[in-house]
Amino acid sequence: VTRDLVPSRVLLDEPNPDNLPVVPACKSCNSGFSADEEYVACLIESVLTGHANSSAVQRPKIQRILSDKPALVARLRSARVVNPNGTSFQIEKVRVKQLFRKLGCGHSLFALHIQQSGAEPQILMARLPLRSADELYAFESLPLPSLLPEVGSRALIEQTERGSFLPEWVVVQPGRYRYAAWVGEPVAVRIVLSEYLAGHIEWAV
């Protein structure tokens, strides 16, 4: 057993925020997601700049990864599509969903004290800049949970302190990573990466 940061540092900018959430994790499982974390971080930056090379991207952390991993650069370049409307990238959805699943499980455990080790969750993904105003409003507006978080959980303590049992977005790093988690039918976690790629992960109660 090892300890896992939720989110991984590769999804954040330096200096890293203080007191990042930490949860226990299987060492082999944790290390197995490293490639997916790097892929998603580099994919998002490549999409935002329109290029998959270290000289084009803005984030120093991603520059270093692309400089050190030519195979990843080649993979991203092969996914780059140039058309009359601009440049886009074909997303490897399985890898992105694997990362959202890992992050969702981590936030569920850290915030709600619920370990998700059973059935596979339903995972929905969206690119926020491509959503309509109504779709964005629906995503940003967190629902009123049908259940309260577990007694002693971070979510319940925070809700009690602010005097509201509505879930709220937790901003880990502005512009880079935020999430929300709540208990209900189903248990759900929402995550936004770089204000571009969003995920909704839910488990049946």
Side-chain angles (χ1 to χ4, degrees):
V1 176
T2 185
R3 296 170 68 80
D4 183 32
L5 290 172
V6 186
S8 164
R9 290 189 181 96
V10 74
L11 300 173
L12 305 172
D13 287 331
E14 298 172 344
N16 295 304
D18 295 330
N19 302 320
L20 282 175
V22 179
V23 296
C26 165
K27 187 173 184 178
S28 61
C29 295
N30 188 23
S31 61
F33 284 100
S34 297
D36 292 332
E37 292 168 341
E38 289 185 341
Y39 164 76
V40 173
C42 292
L43 169 69
I44 292 174
E45 191 66 13
S46 297
V47 169
L48 295 176
T49 60
H51 296 277
N53 56 68
S54 59
S55 62
V57 301
Q58 301 298 312
R59 296 179 61 201
K61 190 175 294 186
I62 305 305
Q63 290 176 350
R64 293 194 295 269
I65 295 173
L66 294 177
S67 295
D68 294 340
K69 301 202 171 181
L72 177 56
V73 172
R75 192 160 190 160
L76 290 170
R77 285 178 178 170
S78 67
R80 184 171 180 261
V81 178
V82 180
N83 54 57
N85 297 322
T87 302
S88 62
F89 284 78
Q90 296 175 335
I91 293 178
E92 297 180 32
K93 293 182 180 180
V94 171
R95 300 187 73 180
V96 178
K97 284 188 174 184
Q98 286 177 164
L99 177 59
F100 274 131
R101 180 186 182 279
K102 177 203 174 186
L103 295 171
C105 288
H107 290 308
S108 176
L109 180 58
F110 183 82
L112 307 175
H113 288 191
I114 299 176
Q115 185 167 3
Q116 303 291 355
S117 57
E120 286 294 309
Q122 180 182 6
I123 301 174
L124 304 176
M125 302 185 300
R127 293 182 244 196
L128 292 186
L130 304 183
R131 300 298 94 189
S132 68
D134 288 343
E135 289 170 331
L136 286 174
Y137 180 81
F139 180 81
E140 297 287 352
S141 303
L142 304 176
L144 178 64
S146 57
L147 299 170
L148 290 179
E150 180 180 325
V151 174
S153 67
R154 289 176 177 84
L156 184 59
I157 292 172
E158 291 171 358
Q159 290 175 3
T160 302
E161 288 176 348
R162 66 173 185 262
S164 171
F165 292 104
L166 284 171
E168 288 189 349
W169 287 99
V170 177
V171 179
V172 177
Q173 190 173 68
R176 195 60 65 202
Y177 193 101
R178 59 188 169 101
Y179 75 94
W182 63 91
V183 180
E185 298 178 358
V187 174
V189 175
R190 285 182 187 171
I191 298 168
V192 178
L193 307 177
S194 295
E195 294 304 319
Y196 176 78
L197 189 60
H200 176 91
I201 308 97
E202 61 181 44
W203 296 263
V205 175

